[in-house]
Amino acid sequence: MFHTKTNLATAFAGLLTLVSPAWADTAAVSGAPNATAVIDGRQLPAPPEAFGGQIAQTARDSEPWWPPRIVAPETAPNILLIITDDSGFGVPSTFGGVIPHDTMDQLADEGLRFTAIHSTALCSPTRAGLLTGRNHHTVGFGVISESSTGFPGYNSVITKDKATIGRILRDNGYATSWFGKNHNTPAFQTSLAGPFDQWPIGMGFEYFYGFVGGDANQWQPNLYRNTTPIYPFEDAEPGWNLITATADDAITHITNLHQIAPDKPFFVKYAPGATHAPHHPTPEWVEKIEAMNLFDDGYEALRATIFENQKKLGLVPQDATLTPWPEDKIRKWEQLSDDERKLFVRQVEVFAAYASYSDHEIGRVIDAIDALGELENTLVIYINGDNGTSAEGGPVGTPNEVAWFNGIAEMPIEVQMQWYDVWGTEDTYNHMSAGWSWAFDTPFDYFKQNANRLGGVRQNMVVSWPNGIDDKGGLRDQFLHVIDVVPTILEVTGINAPLEVDGILQHPIEGTSFAHLFEAANADAPSPRKTQYFEMMGQWALYHEGWLLATKVNRMPWETPGVPNPDPLNNQVLELYDLTTDMNQQIDLAATNPDKVEELKALFIAEAEKYQVFPMDASVTSRLAQPRPNITAGRTEFVYTRPMTGLPQGDSPSILNASYTITAEIEVPEGGAEGMIVTSGGRFAGYGFYLKDGKPVFTWNLLNLDRVRWEAPDALPPGQHTVAFEFQYDGLGAGTLAYGSTSGMGQGGTGTLKVNGVAVDTRQMKQTIPVILQWDEAFDIGSDTLTGVHDADYMPPFALTARLDKLTIKVDQPQLTEADIATLEDARKRASD
């Protein structure tokens, strides 16, 4: 089973010898400056064509000849591939939801609604499959890169034998670009040190405008053009928001392309940050949704409304029912206090505004394509969500999603109400109550992360192509997966999947085209996909010819197990569903069909072996603290001699769960100095070492809930000074993770601020941040980009006016003793028992 790749590679080598010449279809006069050619495309880039002119000793007696310019097949359409974030089946109005999606609605009227395209239950794994046409473990994205581990299915590296659709189309004559979220660059390769082959421009996209990572503050994002950080919001008019800015940039880019080369088709991957937390719509969209009073009756009523709408639209059987409300995990609306109801309505109205706002901006991009006269020949694939709706806000929501990743799953309502009036603004990194998420996944249940429930993996999409779809307003219920999009694009463009790219034999595409479903005659054709596995953080399932074998849900997404399941393949309760008669997993048939359970489990194991799912790992947030091969790996000392900004968290020194010393040698000019010496993180979690009113200050921002602050009593006089912050950590460190324990993380310690070797302020911290700082903020020296760690002390950029001669960071990771290891091993054994 594990020799499959080798056998395929051998077979491909043989196929390459049978491929027809790469330059297959030349237009205009051969060798003329305007000559073009459609290539075979099995070998990328296309090998150079032999010189077709004549060379003599003099130019007068010679005949010039130009190699033809590669163009796409004449009938190849433009392609706009749209994917939104964290949006479940029942979110858009197009599929029964109450949130207006006018753009998606209009596209559905002109095209097709697909009700059963499936995701992986998590964002960047889904996007990896969408980009490559291969399963997410096949391309290294078993989980997000921030949780990557050193196994082929989980290392977040798309290897060179799995070229993306961007690379394939670019080399076949398309203009390729990517806008919005990029969560497929390894977190440990996001700095200016590169490498950049795993960035969009290294994966076949000629232009990139967007943010890198799972999410971003939409008011002050970590924004890039290609690989260069940009800060357009700093000089923008008030109200600048990345959702609109992304649409603006896409419109400009597409328009310019058309003006320069109107005959060149474009491929645009458009991936706005909505509706992933933080939910950051503009105020006018919040006001618009508020006026509609969509959510005043609570999340159970919302669920019932969506379900009835779906029945009216023919999306679910008329006799279908809903699974029970999870009362043991999410309280019913009638059980909530007045403040909870008030807060929860505010949370969901901001979410809904964000979703509707994003759909509107997508509409602006489509209108711009229409204005160019290109919409008739543009294939628009609009996928609603890269997984089900997120429940990572927990049962009560949160004003700061970073807190959830650090173990605070339920922030008290009275604490959250402090941010009620600014919910969704730059002052929050907000998420909503999981009750709304449950409702937004109707007619299914559960959430993002749940690969074993359809609420986590069943998405919907609209496909519009006026020149290629003859069943306007049609409905398609066939079982599909996001990996089926790439082969569909290749079929409609008439472009072959390459057998070789850059001299590397290609792993076969694993998806199956659904282009035939664009025809009215095939509306009821069988599903092109018969089998599909699902796995995410130890929860797994297998679909096969209408059956679904799935593990029983053993944790909610906001719950992080102290000791993860040591054997997620076998140490599970298995459930069996017949989706042909039970579309939303209500009737478990496992007890009466043990043979079918064993048959499908064996098939899952075969699929898991084939697609690099093993070794399975049920750990969740603790994976974030695992060591990775970034440029800081193995280093204990970091020295900087000049200001530097924008170093991403994945490539910067980590001082979490360790003792450390930060020492700055500076020269204060006449008149004193202020400004940032070094900072990492921002408004929602991080630290800063700076001069305020001339006094050295060190501040730890503990998830925007508390700030621990050390301050020198006096301002530094002019001259040379050494200021230092020393922290002695009391815990065992992240090394306890190797024994299935998080006990070494997030413990307290003692910090001491020193000026010229003299301690000037010492205080204890009872707890520290255990897992991760604010991921969309950078490590900065000499100033502070994006948001600051303490708004009351300063506002960015807060440039340092002293001269920085040297900054040294020394990190002392705790080392486990033999006694520590014995204790941890014993605890793990008892937990397993």
Side-chain angles (χ1 to χ4, degrees):
M1 186 62 70
F2 289 102
H3 297 293
T4 302
K5 185 184 295 186
T6 302
N7 295 336
L8 287 170
T10 302
F12 281 3
L15 282 173
L16 279 172
T17 64
L18 304 177
V19 172
S20 58
W23 299 86
D25 182 15
T26 303
V29 177
S30 177
N34 65 335
T36 60
V38 176
I39 62 173
D40 173 85
R42 301 299 179 107
Q43 182 181 359
L44 299 178
E49 190 169 5
F51 181 73
Q54 214 170 354
I55 298 176
Q57 289 184 340
T58 65
R60 181 185 62 186
D61 298 325
S62 302
E63 181 182 340
W65 185 92
W66 290 95
R69 175 172 53 89
I70 297 173
V71 295
E74 186 175 358
T75 58
N78 305 305
I79 300 161
L80 176 61
L81 175 59
I82 304 162
I83 185 165
T84 61
D85 213 323
D86 286 7
S87 185
F89 195 96
V91 168
S93 52
T94 320
F95 292 87
V98 301
I99 301 175
H101 278 63
D102 294 346
T103 300
M104 181 176 271
D105 290 348
Q106 292 169 14
L107 290 171
D109 290 342
E110 292 296 316
L112 300 171
R113 284 180 298 164
F114 285 79
T115 67
I117 185 165
H118 292 76
S119 67
T120 69
L122 205 61
C123 45
S124 54
T126 293
R127 292 159 191 263
L130 182 66
L131 279 170
T132 65
R134 300 163 177 103
N135 284 298
H136 61 120
H137 292 87
T138 297
V139 291
F141 271 91
V143 287
I144 58 174
S145 179
E146 292 85 346
S147 298
S148 57
T149 54
F151 300 100
Y154 299 89
N155 60 18
S156 73
V157 176
I158 300 175
T159 52
K160 303 302 181 185
D161 60 335
K162 298 155 187 125
T164 72
I165 185 62
R167 176 62 194 274
I168 297 170
L169 295 184
R170 185 198 73 184
D171 283 15
N172 278 274
Y174 269 78
T176 58
S177 54
W178 179 336
F179 298 88
K181 175 174 174 175
N182 163 29
H183 202 193
N184 291 109
T185 298
F188 43 85
Q189 293 183 6
T190 55
S191 75
L192 59 81
F196 297 109
D197 60 317
Q198 298 281 308
W199 283 65
I201 65 165
M203 292 192 288
F205 293 85
E206 296 162 311
Y207 180 77
F208 169 61
Y209 176 93
F211 62 92
V212 178
D215 56 32
N217 180 334
Q218 299 294 298
W219 307 106
Q220 295 155 309
N222 61 324
L223 186 61
Y224 292 82
R225 179 169 280 115
N226 298 325
T227 60
T228 302
I230 58 174
Y231 307 94
F233 45 86
E234 290 183 349
D235 300 319
E237 294 292 325
W240 187 98
N241 188 290
L242 182 55
I243 294 295
T244 295
T246 300
D248 288 344
D249 206 82
I251 290 168
T252 298
H253 187 74
I254 293 169
T255 302
N256 287 342
L257 282 173
H258 186 74
Q259 292 177 158
I260 296 167
D263 294 330
K264 187 172 187 176
F266 60 77
F267 170 62
V268 173
K269 179 176 185 281
Y270 195 88
T275 48
H276 197 295
H279 305 147
H280 280 173
T282 56
E284 57 268 26
W285 280 95
V286 177
E287 292 169 5
K288 179 179 178 179
I289 294 296
E290 282 179 337
M292 298 176 72
N293 298 314
L294 298 173
F295 307 105
D296 292 350
D297 293 332
Y299 31 60
E300 297 143 276
L302 172 65
R303 190 185 189 212
T305 297
I306 294 172
F307 195 50
E308 288 306 309
N309 290 346
Q310 290 169 340
K311 286 186 176 182
K312 292 175 184 176
L313 290 170
L315 303 176
V316 298
Q318 294 302 305
D319 60 352
T321 59
L322 290 170
T323 56
W325 188 263
E327 294 184 57
D328 59 328
K329 298 293 185 179
I330 304 173
R331 286 175 297 155
K332 289 191 171 182
W333 192 253
E334 64 186 21
Q335 298 172 317
L336 304 178
S337 68
D338 289 343
D339 274 352
E340 287 173 322
R341 293 182 189 180
K342 179 180 178 180
L343 175 66
F344 290 4
V345 169
R346 176 68 171 174
Q347 292 171 351
V348 72
E349 286 178 341
V350 169
F351 171 85
Y354 195 29
S356 199
Y357 167 41
S358 180
D359 177 81
H360 172 80
E361 295 300 313
I362 290 169
R364 289 182 54 231
V365 176
I366 292 172
D367 287 346
I369 295 171
D370 193 18
L372 296 174
E374 289 291 331
L375 191 58
E376 292 293 307
N377 194 39
T378 298
L379 171 63
V380 180
I381 301 174
Y382 187 165
I383 303 173
N384 169 57
D386 50 9
N387 41 241
T389 316
S390 171
E392 289 155 0
V396 295
T398 179
N400 182 4
E401 186 197 21
V402 185
W404 177 79
F405 281 91
N406 284 286
I408 299 178
E410 297 191 40
M411 194 179 297
I413 298 301
E414 59 271 19
V415 174
Q416 294 197 54
M417 288 296 287
Q418 299 175 42
W419 287 278
Y420 179 85
D421 292 331
V422 294
W423 204 272
T425 71
E426 63 181 15
D427 292 319
T428 59
Y429 217 88
N430 51 304
H431 209 322
M432 64 185 173
S433 162
W436 301 117
S437 305
W438 188 276
F440 283 132
D441 287 343
T442 303
F444 312 110
D445 57 21
Y446 287 89
F447 318 95
K448 169 185 178 180
Q449 295 190 35
N450 293 120
N452 45 359
R453 299 296 297 188
L454 293 174
V457 298
R458 185 158 169 178
Q459 314 301 135
N460 44 47
M461 73 176 174
V462 165
V463 177
S464 172
W465 183 19
N467 285 354
I469 292 176
D470 63 0
D471 186 20
K472 296 184 186 299
L475 195 65
R476 300 292 186 269
D477 296 325
Q478 289 86 353
F479 185 100
L480 305 172
H481 193 272
V482 291
I483 65 173
D484 299 327
V485 171
V486 164
T488 302
I489 290 174
L490 293 179
E491 180 173 348
V492 301
T493 59
I495 292 172
N496 289 316
L499 298 179
E500 179 184 287
V501 177
D502 294 331
I504 299 173
L505 297 180
Q506 293 294 290
H507 183 97
I509 287 175
E510 294 161 356
T512 303
S513 173
F514 55 85
H516 64 288
L517 298 179
F518 295 171
E519 300 175 19
N522 293 326
D524 298 319
S527 296
R529 175 161 294 281
K530 305 299 182 185
T531 305
Q532 180 61 45
Y533 82 92
F534 300 90
E535 190 278 337
M536 187 58 59
M537 294 178 285
Q539 298 186 87
W540 56 268
L542 181 87
Y543 170 86
H544 182 64
E545 297 181 344
W547 291 96
L548 186 72
L549 179 72
T551 58
K552 183 180 179 65
V553 175
N554 53 27
R555 69 168 186 88
M556 289 295 196
W558 60 86
E559 298 170 342
T560 55
V563 178
N565 185 347
D567 184 7
L569 175 63
N570 299 302
N571 187 23
Q572 301 268 22
V573 175
L574 297 181
E575 299 175 336
L576 179 67
Y577 300 97
D578 180 357
L579 298 185
T580 63
T581 58
D582 175 22
M583 54 90 65
N584 56 0
Q585 291 176 276
Q586 295 203 60
I587 305 170
D588 178 12
L589 303 174
T592 55
N593 292 268
D595 292 343
K596 178 60 73 172
V597 169
E598 290 305 311
E599 173 196 340
L600 295 182
K601 182 178 180 182
L603 182 54
F604 172 82
I605 292 172
E607 295 288 285
E609 290 176 343
K610 182 178 179 181
Y611 297 119
Q612 303 188 147
V613 177
F614 295 136
M616 291 175 66
D617 184 350
S619 59
V620 189
T621 57
S622 60
R623 289 200 212 188
L624 294 169
Q626 295 284 359
R628 292 180 183 87
N630 64 18
I631 57 178
T632 69
R635 296 175 62 186
T636 59
E637 183 172 336
F638 304 84
V639 178
Y640 308 91
T641 57
R642 59 181 299 168
M644 177 184 71
T645 60
L647 184 61
Q649 295 292 334
D651 277 337
S652 64
S654 175
I655 60 176
L656 298 184
N657 308 305
S659 299
Y660 54 89
T661 301
I662 302 176
T663 304
E665 300 172 25
I666 61 175
E667 182 177 352
V668 176
E670 293 294 331
E674 68 168 10
M676 182 59 65
I677 298 171
V678 61
T679 181
S680 192
R683 179 174 291 133
F684 304 100
Y687 67 84
F689 193 8
Y690 48 93
L691 303 180
K692 175 175 169 55
D693 301 325
K695 301 177 182 180
V697 176
F698 195 96
T699 296
W700 260 110
N701 173 359
L702 302 178
L703 306 174
N704 205 27
L705 298 173
D706 189 22
R707 285 171 175 78
V708 183
R709 190 172 180 276
W710 293 256
E711 181 177 9
D714 302 308
L716 297 177
Q720 297 282 347
H721 298 280
T722 299
V723 293
F725 182 75
E726 299 177 356
F727 188 77
Q728 187 63 42
Y729 182 60
D730 293 337
L732 294 177
T736 62
L737 290 174
Y739 303 92
S741 172
T742 59
S743 62
M745 303 166 62
Q747 301 301 314
T750 302
T752 301
L753 179 64
K754 291 184 176 181
V755 176
N756 298 322
V758 178
V760 295
D761 194 4
T762 299
R763 64 186 60 226
Q764 288 187 322
M765 291 177 67
K766 293 182 179 179
Q767 292 177 309
T768 56
I769 294 176
V771 178
I772 193 169
L773 301 184
Q774 188 179 342
W775 43 83
D776 66 335
E777 293 271 356
F779 174 86
D780 299 323
I781 299 169
S783 64
D784 193 353
T785 55
L786 307 185
T787 65
V789 296
H790 198 346
D791 290 347
D793 272 2
Y794 71 94
M795 296 299 292
F798 201 43
L800 181 64
T801 57
R803 189 183 76 192
L804 176 67
D805 293 326
K806 186 178 181 181
L807 175 72
T808 304
I809 299 177
K810 295 183 178 180
V811 183
D812 182 12
Q813 296 286 351
Q815 301 298 313
L816 297 177
T817 66
E818 291 185 5
D820 294 332
I821 293 172
T823 300
L824 291 164
E825 289 279 24
D826 181 63
R828 179 162 63 176
K829 183 177 183 302
R830 285 187 282 108
S832 298
D833 291 343

